[in-house]
Each structure stands twice: as C-alpha cells, then as structure tokens.
Amino acid sequence: MDHQGCNKPSNQAVLDFVAKVAKLTTPDQVFWIDGSEAEKQSLYDQAVADGILMKLNQEKLPGCYYGRSNPNDVARVEQLTFICTPTREEAGPTNNWAAPAEMHTKLNGLLAGCMKGRTMYVIPYLMGPAGSPLTKVGIEITDSIMVVLNMRIMARIGALAYKHLGGGDDFNRGIHSMLDINPERRFIVHFPQENTIVSVGSNYGGNVLLGKKCLALRIGSYLGRNEGWMAEHMLLLCVENPQGKKAYVAAAFPSACGKTNFAMMIPPAHFNGWKITTIGDDIAWMRPGPDGRLYAINPEAGYFGVAPGTNYKSNPNAMKTIAKDTIYTNVALTEDLDVWWEGKDGPVPAKLTDWKGNPWTPASTEKAAHPNSRFTAPMANNPVLASEVEAAAGVPISAIIFGGRRASTMPLVMEAFSWSHGVYLGASMGSEMTAAAVGGAGQVRRDPMAMLPFAGYDMGEYFGHWLQMGKALKFAPQIYHVNWFRKDKDGNFMWPGFGENMRVLKWVVERCEGTAGAYETPVGRMPLPCEFDVEGLDGFTKESFEAVQKIDKEEWKKELLLQTEFFLTLNRTLPKELVFERELLASRIS
Ligand code: OXD
Ligand code: MN
C-alpha cells in the first residue's frame, strides 16, 4: 500500500499518526513525500496528466504552472474556521468555537472513507530554518496534489523535517481532505491543546497549506504564549543605510494593505546607497534573545501573494520573483499561455480566458482574474532576498510598525510613547473594508495587530501576552503606526506611497538609532516637519507633510468611541494597561 516515495520515516509517533488517519480515511495508497527534485517533476507531470494543472508558456514563464479552483473555493473562510479549546472562553469572543469532542466526532464522520480511490500524501515540513530553536515540525496529510506542490514552495519539506524531529513526538498533526469541495462540508479546525489541525472541503491555499495561517499563526500564537514567544502576521525586512549599517523591522498590516510590496520595496533614486532586503512578507516568529533584544525568523520559504495589482510600479521585485517556478491560481490566461490580471503592466489583451475558463474580452463586464487570484513563488527567486533569511538565531528587531488603510484621522506616521502605548496602537488598529467585504465600503473594521482572523486564543489574553513580552525584553523594539492611505477632502491620496514609503522607514530606523528628532503630539511622537525629507517629491511640500500628519481632535474623539466599542467586546480579559492607555489618550485629546 505505501510503496511510493522513499521517505517513510522511522519515527514511531509519525508512523502511528499516519496509520491512524489512513485507517479512518482509507486511501488507495500512501505516498511518503521526500521533497526531491525528481519527485517534484513527477508530481507536476501527474497533476498535468490529471488535468489539475496546466503547463504555462515555458519560454516566458519557465517552470510555471496554472490551476483554476472551484469557483466556490477562492478565499479563506473565517466563518468556517474554528478554535476548539476545552472552554469557549479560551478561544475568546473573536473566534468561532466548538467543544473539541463534538468537533472530532463531526470531522471523523466527514473523514471516514473520504480518501477511497485517492492517494494520501504525507508531507513532512519545517516552519523555520533547519536548526533554529524557533523552528517547528509539521506533518500534513492531504489528498490534494495541489497542496503538495504548493507546500513544497511555501515550506521546507522532506527528510530535513524528520531529522529536526528526531525520535520525539513534538510535531503538528495536520489532516486535510478536499472531500467534495463543498462549502456545506467545509471546516478549518484547530485543536491548540492537541497541536492538531483538520481542514476539510477546501483546496484554497489559506485554508489548506496548513503550515501557513493554521500552524504559523493560529496554533503558533497559542504555542508562543505558552512557550514565551510571539507568532505574528508581520513582514520582516532589513534596511541598510549608505554606511552599511543594518536595521531589522517587522510590520503588521491587514490583508491587502501592501505587506508584500513593503517587504520588497526598492528605495527611490533619491535614496542612493540605501538598500532594502526581504526576510519575510507575511509571518514573523519572534522571541527574546540572550542579549535582551527581540529576535525574529520568517517561518516560511515562499510567497503566497495576491496577483491583481502586482506590476512593475507597485512591486518590481515581486514581478521578477514570479517569473519562474511559480504556481498561478485563478488568474486569466492569454492565447499563448501567459498569465494576466487586472493591474498587470502593458495594454489589456484583446482576448483572454478568464479565471473560470470562459472567453474574455475588454468589453466583458466581469473581471478576467479573480480579485483573490494568487501566485505561489519560492522566496529564493526574490532578487532582494536577505541572506539572514536562513539565520537560525533570527534577526534583532529595532522597530515594529502597525498600519491600516484609513482615509481619515490616522497620520502618515507616529511613534508610540512606550511599549504599552505601542501595544495599544496595535490593539486598536483599524482598517477600511473594501466594497466586497460584509459591512460596507469605507467602514472601519478593528483588526488588532492584523491578527483578528489569526489569533488562536482569546484576544484580550493575546494583548496580555504582548505586554508580558515587553517585560521580558531588556531592549524592546520601538513601536510605530503608519497610514499610507489618508485622503484629502476631494478623495485624493495625500501621500504618494510605494517606494516613497522609504522616507517614513528612514525616519523610523533613524529614530531607533537615536539620530532623528521627534516632537510629542496627543496621539504619539511625530517627525519634525523641518527634518522630514520631502526633497524630490513632486508637488509634495512641507505643508503637504503637515497636512498628512494633522491631528483633528474631533475625528479622534469619534475614533476613540469606536476603539472603546471594540474593547468592550473583549472586556472580560482586556489588560488594565490598555484601559489606562485609552484613558490617557482620551484626556490628551479632550
Ligand atoms: C494572506 C492573508 O493570504 O492574510 O496572507 O489572507
Ligand atoms: Mn497574510
């Protein structure tokens, strides 16, 4: 039964786990993934033969493949995502909860016999560089060849995971079955106490690449609280100044606010000699180091990014990253099997096949690419990949940046007065929803630390853990809040964004080094207008800077009410530090 793949481990706990799942799901065969190049090619060939993937134009896009998902399965499903802790309180008011025993019974019913006629793949993987004390081992069992091919880009897979695990049983147990890709039978379920994830009924990355959102954020945040570290929805980058001095920055923005663009940013010509390199674009695992600083790793090995809007202006390095060895999902296809999406460079092609497989022309009323169409690309392709990405000890973080998409109220940049004020800035973070999201366009949804869909336990306790971590650090990073999206009264963006965000980043790192000035406002410290570099910015003057930094007390009073409304929902466990921070803010803006 298990003759394929040559990576059957000797670890008894893994063998027992796989045997138990095989007994329940009754696959025709078990395929032990070894992560080799030969295996990769045979899996791609199999996926093409089965009609699951299509080979793209290999002259234009060497090593690239294309897949379409079921139209009912194109995004993460927060309403079907569960945290099954022994009590509802442990999961907290921002998560869906079910009792673990009940949920196991329900899932076992769905899993019984579900792999009959299918191959069961066993993927051993590492989240984090081999040899890092922060790295975790996962075993994902799946009946989807798409999951195997995407996982081999997004994580370090194969024998190295068994080596890291040794003879122990400390690994995340992940079970995935597509079932019949039916939203009625779709559940993404986490059992934090059992270090187990069960995902059924979907084949979409965020729901099924279990190392990513499920392990690295939801289970990771739970493990981090117990073990004294942090799992965060953050990009990680290195800024190098013209003197060769490096600083490392982590930044949390909600989904679709430009994390990948920021992580791969090219400093504009004005910043001759400055360099940005990428450590991660989505997830950071951080823990205090022996010197009292906070050290971070990127647990992932690839980028699972949104294609629409990606182009040579918004992110030239991403365009280069996805030019080879990439899997595209739900984008549009040109006649010569190249990929296309809304916002790609160049003229709109006269004829395309859209993400559903239908003919498309510029006259069509529907989008050619799904708005959440994706690329899965190895980080090794990134022209500005930081060498530190493999550093087992991680990199010492100087600054943490929080940010959202806000048309009003929030200035371009401000610095927190202290760690607890910084935690408050993160905890009260909000971002405007797009027209597609429930709740209506322009409405601000609170998304604390960009972790609303990803915290694996009670949100108030999670804030408490942040405050605890500050106490565990001798040299805690300085915390900032940014908003690239403020608009003037005519609805125009007040800040050019993209590469010009380098001006804000420069102030941030120079503050951390103690070489840039600041002044205090009721909401945070701000760059001195006489110091903030606006040279070479077309039409953007010192006055424009003051306008984008303006604090409108009336707007802030409304903001405070909205923050209070959100905090009330977390009332049971909201740390008192945050209550006091809110009171201080209220008195400063009154
Ligand atoms: C992602 C997300 O896919 O945040 O990274 O949804
Ligand atoms: Mn994300």
PDB file of all heavy atoms in Angstrom, residues 211-243:
ATOM      1  N   GLY A 211       0.778  24.746   7.109  1.00  0.00           N
ATOM      2  CA  GLY A 211       1.899  25.395   7.795  1.00  0.00           C
ATOM      3  C   GLY A 211       1.698  26.890   7.941  1.00  0.00           C
ATOM      4  O   GLY A 211       2.267  27.518   8.843  1.00  0.00           O
ATOM      5  N   LYS A 212       0.889  27.487   7.062  1.00  0.00           N
ATOM      6  CA  LYS A 212       0.831  28.944   6.976  1.00  0.00           C
ATOM      7  C   LYS A 212      -0.082  29.537   8.054  1.00  0.00           C
ATOM      8  O   LYS A 212       0.309  29.692   9.196  1.00  0.00           O
ATOM      9  CB  LYS A 212       0.410  29.340   5.552  1.00  0.00           C
ATOM     10  CG  LYS A 212       0.591  30.822   5.260  1.00  0.00           C
ATOM     11  CD  LYS A 212       0.275  31.139   3.821  1.00  0.00           C
ATOM     12  CE  LYS A 212       0.379  32.623   3.510  1.00  0.00           C
ATOM     13  NZ  LYS A 212       1.710  33.204   3.661  1.00  0.00           N
ATOM     14  N   LYS A 213      -1.321  29.871   7.693  1.00  0.00           N
ATOM     15  CA  LYS A 213      -2.189  30.559   8.654  1.00  0.00           C
ATOM     16  C   LYS A 213      -2.521  29.655   9.848  1.00  0.00           C
ATOM     17  O   LYS A 213      -2.580  30.120  10.985  1.00  0.00           O
ATOM     18  CB  LYS A 213      -3.473  31.018   7.972  1.00  0.00           C
ATOM     19  CG  LYS A 213      -3.256  31.951   6.788  1.00  0.00           C
ATOM     20  CD  LYS A 213      -2.553  33.217   7.197  1.00  0.00           C
ATOM     21  CE  LYS A 213      -2.467  34.218   6.054  1.00  0.00           C
ATOM     22  NZ  LYS A 213      -1.704  35.404   6.439  1.00  0.00           N
ATOM     23  N   CYS A 214      -2.744  28.358   9.570  1.00  0.00           N
ATOM     24  CA  CYS A 214      -3.214  27.463  10.637  1.00  0.00           C
ATOM     25  C   CYS A 214      -2.128  27.195  11.673  1.00  0.00           C
ATOM     26  O   CYS A 214      -2.326  27.424  12.863  1.00  0.00           O
ATOM     27  CB  CYS A 214      -3.726  26.150  10.049  1.00  0.00           C
ATOM     28  SG  CYS A 214      -5.086  26.351   8.891  1.00  0.00           S
ATOM     29  N   LEU A 215      -0.940  26.730  11.217  1.00  0.00           N
ATOM     30  CA  LEU A 215       0.125  26.442  12.189  1.00  0.00           C
ATOM     31  C   LEU A 215       0.903  27.709  12.555  1.00  0.00           C
ATOM     32  O   LEU A 215       1.065  28.031  13.737  1.00  0.00           O
ATOM     33  CB  LEU A 215       1.082  25.364  11.651  1.00  0.00           C
ATOM     34  CG  LEU A 215       2.366  25.124  12.452  1.00  0.00           C
ATOM     35  CD1 LEU A 215       2.088  24.863  13.931  1.00  0.00           C
ATOM     36  CD2 LEU A 215       3.170  23.957  11.879  1.00  0.00           C
ATOM     37  N   ALA A 216       1.380  28.441  11.544  1.00  0.00           N
ATOM     38  CA  ALA A 216       2.309  29.540  11.845  1.00  0.00           C
ATOM     39  C   ALA A 216       1.628  30.682  12.597  1.00  0.00           C
ATOM     40  O   ALA A 216       2.287  31.433  13.306  1.00  0.00           O
ATOM     41  CB  ALA A 216       2.954  30.058  10.564  1.00  0.00           C
ATOM     42  N   LEU A 217       0.303  30.837  12.450  1.00  0.00           N
ATOM     43  CA  LEU A 217      -0.365  31.919  13.189  1.00  0.00           C
ATOM     44  C   LEU A 217      -1.315  31.411  14.280  1.00  0.00           C
ATOM     45  O   LEU A 217      -1.134  31.747  15.444  1.00  0.00           O
ATOM     46  CB  LEU A 217      -1.091  32.859  12.228  1.00  0.00           C
ATOM     47  CG  LEU A 217      -0.139  33.725  11.384  1.00  0.00           C
ATOM     48  CD1 LEU A 217      -0.913  34.580  10.381  1.00  0.00           C
ATOM     49  CD2 LEU A 217       0.747  34.612  12.247  1.00  0.00           C
ATOM     50  N   ARG A 218      -2.304  30.578  13.923  1.00  0.00           N
ATOM     51  CA  ARG A 218      -3.312  30.252  14.951  1.00  0.00           C
ATOM     52  C   ARG A 218      -2.727  29.330  16.024  1.00  0.00           C
ATOM     53  O   ARG A 218      -2.733  29.658  17.216  1.00  0.00           O
ATOM     54  CB  ARG A 218      -4.565  29.641  14.299  1.00  0.00           C
ATOM     55  CG  ARG A 218      -5.227  30.622  13.347  1.00  0.00           C
ATOM     56  CD  ARG A 218      -6.644  30.225  12.971  1.00  0.00           C
ATOM     57  NE  ARG A 218      -7.105  31.085  11.881  1.00  0.00           N
ATOM     58  CZ  ARG A 218      -7.039  30.763  10.582  1.00  0.00           C
ATOM     59  NH1 ARG A 218      -6.600  29.573  10.218  1.00  0.00           N
ATOM     60  NH2 ARG A 218      -7.453  31.618   9.657  1.00  0.00           N
ATOM     61  N   ILE A 219      -2.190  28.179  15.612  1.00  0.00           N
ATOM     62  CA  ILE A 219      -1.573  27.290  16.607  1.00  0.00           C
ATOM     63  C   ILE A 219      -0.306  27.960  17.139  1.00  0.00           C
ATOM     64  O   ILE A 219       0.002  27.907  18.334  1.00  0.00           O
ATOM     65  CB  ILE A 219      -1.247  25.913  15.977  1.00  0.00           C
ATOM     66  CG1 ILE A 219      -2.527  25.214  15.512  1.00  0.00           C
ATOM     67  CG2 ILE A 219      -0.434  25.051  16.954  1.00  0.00           C
ATOM     68  CD1 ILE A 219      -3.336  24.514  16.561  1.00  0.00           C
ATOM     69  N   GLY A 220       0.441  28.628  16.247  1.00  0.00           N
ATOM     70  CA  GLY A 220       1.699  29.290  16.647  1.00  0.00           C
ATOM     71  C   GLY A 220       1.472  30.319  17.745  1.00  0.00           C
ATOM     72  O   GLY A 220       2.235  30.384  18.710  1.00  0.00           O
ATOM     73  N   SER A 221       0.417  31.125  17.633  1.00  0.00           N
ATOM     74  CA  SER A 221       0.198  32.150  18.657  1.00  0.00           C
ATOM     75  C   SER A 221      -0.092  31.487  20.005  1.00  0.00           C
ATOM     76  O   SER A 221       0.376  31.953  21.054  1.00  0.00           O
ATOM     77  CB  SER A 221      -0.924  33.110  18.251  1.00  0.00           C
ATOM     78  OG  SER A 221      -2.119  32.397  18.027  1.00  0.00           O
ATOM     79  N   TYR A 222      -0.809  30.376  19.973  1.00  0.00           N
ATOM     80  CA  TYR A 222      -1.101  29.637  21.210  1.00  0.00           C
ATOM     81  C   TYR A 222       0.186  29.050  21.807  1.00  0.00           C
ATOM     82  O   TYR A 222       0.461  29.200  23.001  1.00  0.00           O
ATOM     83  CB  TYR A 222      -2.121  28.526  20.899  1.00  0.00           C
ATOM     84  CG  TYR A 222      -2.327  27.561  22.033  1.00  0.00           C
ATOM     85  CD1 TYR A 222      -3.227  27.838  23.051  1.00  0.00           C
ATOM     86  CD2 TYR A 222      -1.600  26.363  22.093  1.00  0.00           C
ATOM     87  CE1 TYR A 222      -3.409  26.947  24.103  1.00  0.00           C
ATOM     88  CE2 TYR A 222      -1.766  25.478  23.142  1.00  0.00           C
ATOM     89  CZ  TYR A 222      -2.664  25.768  24.145  1.00  0.00           C
ATOM     90  OH  TYR A 222      -2.824  24.894  25.188  1.00  0.00           O
ATOM     91  N   LEU A 223       1.000  28.414  20.951  1.00  0.00           N
ATOM     92  CA  LEU A 223       2.266  27.839  21.440  1.00  0.00           C
ATOM     93  C   LEU A 223       3.166  28.956  21.960  1.00  0.00           C
ATOM     94  O   LEU A 223       3.845  28.820  22.978  1.00  0.00           O
ATOM     95  CB  LEU A 223       2.992  27.088  20.313  1.00  0.00           C
ATOM     96  CG  LEU A 223       2.303  25.839  19.756  1.00  0.00           C
ATOM     97  CD1 LEU A 223       3.092  25.269  18.571  1.00  0.00           C
ATOM     98  CD2 LEU A 223       2.161  24.769  20.850  1.00  0.00           C
ATOM     99  N   GLY A 224       3.173  30.087  21.246  1.00  0.00           N
ATOM    100  CA  GLY A 224       4.031  31.217  21.625  1.00  0.00           C
ATOM    101  C   GLY A 224       3.685  31.746  23.008  1.00  0.00           C
ATOM    102  O   GLY A 224       4.559  32.057  23.808  1.00  0.00           O
ATOM    103  N   ARG A 225       2.394  31.814  23.291  1.00  0.00           N
ATOM    104  CA  ARG A 225       2.006  32.304  24.612  1.00  0.00           C
ATOM    105  C   ARG A 225       2.511  31.340  25.694  1.00  0.00           C
ATOM    106  O   ARG A 225       3.047  31.745  26.721  1.00  0.00           O
ATOM    107  CB  ARG A 225       0.478  32.434  24.689  1.00  0.00           C
ATOM    108  CG  ARG A 225       0.024  33.234  25.879  1.00  0.00           C
ATOM    109  CD  ARG A 225      -0.968  32.598  26.819  1.00  0.00           C
ATOM    110  NE  ARG A 225      -1.714  31.498  26.311  1.00  0.00           N
ATOM    111  CZ  ARG A 225      -3.014  31.347  26.490  1.00  0.00           C
ATOM    112  NH1 ARG A 225      -3.697  32.268  27.124  1.00  0.00           N
ATOM    113  NH2 ARG A 225      -3.625  30.270  26.058  1.00  0.00           N
ATOM    114  N   ASN A 226       2.361  30.030  25.441  1.00  0.00           N
ATOM    115  CA  ASN A 226       2.794  29.046  26.449  1.00  0.00           C
ATOM    116  C   ASN A 226       4.309  28.979  26.579  1.00  0.00           C
ATOM    117  O   ASN A 226       4.837  28.709  27.644  1.00  0.00           O
ATOM    118  CB  ASN A 226       2.283  27.651  26.087  1.00  0.00           C
ATOM    119  CG  ASN A 226       0.782  27.574  26.216  1.00  0.00           C
ATOM    120  OD1 ASN A 226       0.148  28.508  26.714  1.00  0.00           O
ATOM    121  ND2 ASN A 226       0.208  26.482  25.757  1.00  0.00           N
ATOM    122  N   GLU A 227       5.004  29.203  25.457  1.00  0.00           N
ATOM    123  CA  GLU A 227       6.458  28.975  25.446  1.00  0.00           C
ATOM    124  C   GLU A 227       7.268  30.265  25.500  1.00  0.00           C
ATOM    125  O   GLU A 227       8.496  30.230  25.433  1.00  0.00           O
ATOM    126  CB  GLU A 227       6.830  28.173  24.173  1.00  0.00           C
ATOM    127  CG  GLU A 227       6.193  26.784  24.127  1.00  0.00           C
ATOM    128  CD  GLU A 227       6.319  26.099  22.750  1.00  0.00           C
ATOM    129  OE1 GLU A 227       6.966  26.675  21.835  1.00  0.00           O
ATOM    130  OE2 GLU A 227       5.780  24.987  22.598  1.00  0.00           O
ATOM    131  N   GLY A 228       6.601  31.425  25.559  1.00  0.00           N
ATOM    132  CA  GLY A 228       7.323  32.692  25.711  1.00  0.00           C
ATOM    133  C   GLY A 228       7.854  33.282  24.418  1.00  0.00           C
ATOM    134  O   GLY A 228       8.932  33.876  24.386  1.00  0.00           O
ATOM    135  N   TRP A 229       7.115  33.128  23.334  1.00  0.00           N
ATOM    136  CA  TRP A 229       7.486  33.799  22.087  1.00  0.00           C
ATOM    137  C   TRP A 229       6.229  34.304  21.393  1.00  0.00           C
ATOM    138  O   TRP A 229       5.131  34.188  21.929  1.00  0.00           O
ATOM    139  CB  TRP A 229       8.330  32.883  21.198  1.00  0.00           C
ATOM    140  CG  TRP A 229       7.760  31.542  20.851  1.00  0.00           C
ATOM    141  CD1 TRP A 229       7.768  30.426  21.646  1.00  0.00           C
ATOM    142  CD2 TRP A 229       7.068  31.172  19.644  1.00  0.00           C
ATOM    143  NE1 TRP A 229       7.149  29.380  20.996  1.00  0.00           N
ATOM    144  CE2 TRP A 229       6.718  29.798  19.762  1.00  0.00           C
ATOM    145  CE3 TRP A 229       6.737  31.837  18.478  1.00  0.00           C
ATOM    146  CZ2 TRP A 229       6.036  29.106  18.765  1.00  0.00           C
ATOM    147  CZ3 TRP A 229       6.069  31.153  17.469  1.00  0.00           C
ATOM    148  CH2 TRP A 229       5.725  29.803  17.615  1.00  0.00           C
ATOM    149  N   MET A 230       6.393  34.907  20.204  1.00  0.00           N
ATOM    150  CA  MET A 230       5.251  35.540  19.537  1.00  0.00           C
ATOM    151  C   MET A 230       5.149  35.076  18.090  1.00  0.00           C
ATOM    152  O   MET A 230       6.157  35.030  17.384  1.00  0.00           O
ATOM    153  CB  MET A 230       5.437  37.068  19.504  1.00  0.00           C
ATOM    154  CG  MET A 230       5.732  37.665  20.842  1.00  0.00           C
ATOM    155  SD  MET A 230       6.403  39.339  20.686  1.00  0.00           S
ATOM    156  CE  MET A 230       4.883  40.271  20.681  1.00  0.00           C
ATOM    157  N   ALA A 231       3.938  34.738  17.656  1.00  0.00           N
ATOM    158  CA  ALA A 231       3.683  34.402  16.248  1.00  0.00           C
ATOM    159  C   ALA A 231       2.831  35.536  15.693  1.00  0.00           C
ATOM    160  O   ALA A 231       1.715  35.748  16.165  1.00  0.00           O
ATOM    161  CB  ALA A 231       2.941  33.076  16.156  1.00  0.00           C
ATOM    162  N   GLU A 232       3.352  36.278  14.732  1.00  0.00           N
ATOM    163  CA  GLU A 232       2.674  37.495  14.294  1.00  0.00           C
ATOM    164  C   GLU A 232       2.485  37.556  12.782  1.00  0.00           C
ATOM    165  O   GLU A 232       3.297  37.028  12.027  1.00  0.00           O
ATOM    166  CB  GLU A 232       3.485  38.729  14.753  1.00  0.00           C
ATOM    167  CG  GLU A 232       3.651  38.809  16.259  1.00  0.00           C
ATOM    168  CD  GLU A 232       2.336  38.907  17.029  1.00  0.00           C
ATOM    169  OE1 GLU A 232       1.349  39.444  16.488  1.00  0.00           O
ATOM    170  OE2 GLU A 232       2.284  38.428  18.174  1.00  0.00           O
ATOM    171  N   HIS A 233       1.414  38.260  12.383  1.00  0.00           N
ATOM    172  CA  HIS A 233       1.080  38.445  10.957  1.00  0.00           C
ATOM    173  C   HIS A 233       1.888  39.648  10.448  1.00  0.00           C
ATOM    174  O   HIS A 233       1.344  40.732  10.247  1.00  0.00           O
ATOM    175  CB  HIS A 233      -0.426  38.696  10.863  1.00  0.00           C
ATOM    176  CG  HIS A 233      -0.995  38.625   9.480  1.00  0.00           C
ATOM    177  ND1 HIS A 233      -2.216  39.169   9.159  1.00  0.00           N
ATOM    178  CD2 HIS A 233      -0.524  38.079   8.328  1.00  0.00           C
ATOM    179  CE1 HIS A 233      -2.477  38.963   7.878  1.00  0.00           C
ATOM    180  NE2 HIS A 233      -1.468  38.311   7.358  1.00  0.00           N
ATOM    181  N   MET A 234       3.192  39.443  10.288  1.00  0.00           N
ATOM    182  CA  MET A 234       4.097  40.558  10.006  1.00  0.00           C
ATOM    183  C   MET A 234       5.095  40.222   8.914  1.00  0.00           C
ATOM    184  O   MET A 234       5.609  39.103   8.857  1.00  0.00           O
ATOM    185  CB  MET A 234       4.924  40.894  11.255  1.00  0.00           C
ATOM    186  CG  MET A 234       4.131  41.530  12.367  1.00  0.00           C
ATOM    187  SD  MET A 234       5.213  41.861  13.767  1.00  0.00           S
ATOM    188  CE  MET A 234       4.061  42.713  14.841  1.00  0.00           C
ATOM    189  N   LEU A 235       5.403  41.216   8.112  1.00  0.00           N
ATOM    190  CA  LEU A 235       6.546  41.114   7.195  1.00  0.00           C
ATOM    191  C   LEU A 235       7.813  41.397   7.995  1.00  0.00           C
ATOM    192  O   LEU A 235       7.759  41.974   9.097  1.00  0.00           O
ATOM    193  CB  LEU A 235       6.406  42.130   6.055  1.00  0.00           C
ATOM    194  CG  LEU A 235       6.494  43.612   6.436  1.00  0.00           C
ATOM    195  CD1 LEU A 235       7.911  44.141   6.360  1.00  0.00           C
ATOM    196  CD2 LEU A 235       5.582  44.437   5.567  1.00  0.00           C
ATOM    197  N   LEU A 236       8.933  40.980   7.438  1.00  0.00           N
ATOM    198  CA  LEU A 236      10.227  41.265   8.071  1.00  0.00           C
ATOM    199  C   LEU A 236      11.171  41.784   6.991  1.00  0.00           C
ATOM    200  O   LEU A 236      11.332  41.158   5.949  1.00  0.00           O
ATOM    201  CB  LEU A 236      10.836  39.979   8.642  1.00  0.00           C
ATOM    202  CG  LEU A 236      10.212  39.383   9.891  1.00  0.00           C
ATOM    203  CD1 LEU A 236      10.788  37.982  10.149  1.00  0.00           C
ATOM    204  CD2 LEU A 236      10.475  40.283  11.099  1.00  0.00           C
ATOM    205  N   LEU A 237      11.802  42.925   7.264  1.00  0.00           N
ATOM    206  CA  LEU A 237      12.758  43.425   6.269  1.00  0.00           C
ATOM    207  C   LEU A 237      14.006  43.966   6.942  1.00  0.00           C
ATOM    208  O   LEU A 237      14.027  44.230   8.145  1.00  0.00           O
ATOM    209  CB  LEU A 237      12.108  44.480   5.361  1.00  0.00           C
ATOM    210  CG  LEU A 237      11.512  45.738   5.952  1.00  0.00           C
ATOM    211  CD1 LEU A 237      12.569  46.770   6.328  1.00  0.00           C
ATOM    212  CD2 LEU A 237      10.585  46.381   4.914  1.00  0.00           C
ATOM    213  N   CYS A 238      15.046  44.096   6.107  1.00  0.00           N
ATOM    214  CA  CYS A 238      16.304  44.673   6.571  1.00  0.00           C
ATOM    215  C   CYS A 238      16.514  45.987   5.818  1.00  0.00           C
ATOM    216  O   CYS A 238      16.365  46.030   4.601  1.00  0.00           O
ATOM    217  CB  CYS A 238      17.442  43.697   6.257  1.00  0.00           C
ATOM    218  SG  CYS A 238      19.083  44.403   6.499  1.00  0.00           S
ATOM    219  N   VAL A 239      16.818  47.050   6.548  1.00  0.00           N
ATOM    220  CA  VAL A 239      17.154  48.338   5.923  1.00  0.00           C
ATOM    221  C   VAL A 239      18.641  48.547   6.127  1.00  0.00           C
ATOM    222  O   VAL A 239      19.121  48.501   7.270  1.00  0.00           O
ATOM    223  CB  VAL A 239      16.471  49.529   6.622  1.00  0.00           C
ATOM    224  CG1 VAL A 239      16.576  50.794   5.780  1.00  0.00           C
ATOM    225  CG2 VAL A 239      15.046  49.231   6.977  1.00  0.00           C
ATOM    226  N   GLU A 240      19.360  48.805   5.030  1.00  0.00           N
ATOM    227  CA  GLU A 240      20.795  49.064   5.149  1.00  0.00           C
ATOM    228  C   GLU A 240      21.053  50.490   4.702  1.00  0.00           C
ATOM    229  O   GLU A 240      20.617  50.902   3.619  1.00  0.00           O
ATOM    230  CB  GLU A 240      21.544  48.076   4.246  1.00  0.00           C
ATOM    231  CG  GLU A 240      23.028  48.072   4.497  1.00  0.00           C
ATOM    232  CD  GLU A 240      23.730  46.979   3.676  1.00  0.00           C
ATOM    233  OE1 GLU A 240      23.122  45.939   3.349  1.00  0.00           O
ATOM    234  OE2 GLU A 240      24.902  47.207   3.359  1.00  0.00           O
ATOM    235  N   ASN A 241      21.732  51.267   5.528  1.00  0.00           N
ATOM    236  CA  ASN A 241      21.988  52.661   5.151  1.00  0.00           C
ATOM    237  C   ASN A 241      23.278  52.751   4.318  1.00  0.00           C
ATOM    238  O   ASN A 241      23.996  51.747   4.171  1.00  0.00           O
ATOM    239  CB  ASN A 241      21.972  53.575   6.391  1.00  0.00           C
ATOM    240  CG  ASN A 241      23.217  53.432   7.256  1.00  0.00           C
ATOM    241  OD1 ASN A 241      24.204  52.800   6.855  1.00  0.00           O
ATOM    242  ND2 ASN A 241      23.171  54.012   8.438  1.00  0.00           N
ATOM    243  N   PRO A 242      23.562  53.924   3.736  1.00  0.00           N
ATOM    244  CA  PRO A 242      24.725  54.015   2.840  1.00  0.00           C
ATOM    245  C   PRO A 242      26.049  53.679   3.542  1.00  0.00           C
ATOM    246  O   PRO A 242      27.021  53.319   2.890  1.00  0.00           O
ATOM    247  CB  PRO A 242      24.703  55.472   2.373  1.00  0.00           C
ATOM    248  CG  PRO A 242      23.283  55.899   2.530  1.00  0.00           C
ATOM    249  CD  PRO A 242      22.762  55.162   3.720  1.00  0.00           C
ATOM    250  N   GLN A 243      26.088  53.749   4.855  1.00  0.00           N
ATOM    251  CA  GLN A 243      27.306  53.375   5.596  1.00  0.00           C
ATOM    252  C   GLN A 243      27.367  51.870   5.866  1.00  0.00           C
ATOM    253  O   GLN A 243      28.299  51.376   6.517  1.00  0.00           O
ATOM    254  CB  GLN A 243      27.383  54.127   6.943  1.00  0.00           C
ATOM    255  CG  GLN A 243      27.635  55.637   6.837  1.00  0.00           C
ATOM    256  CD  GLN A 243      26.423  56.387   6.300  1.00  0.00           C
ATOM    257  OE1 GLN A 243      25.299  56.177   6.757  1.00  0.00           O
ATOM    258  NE2 GLN A 243      26.645  57.258   5.307  1.00  0.00           N
TER     259      GLN A 243
END
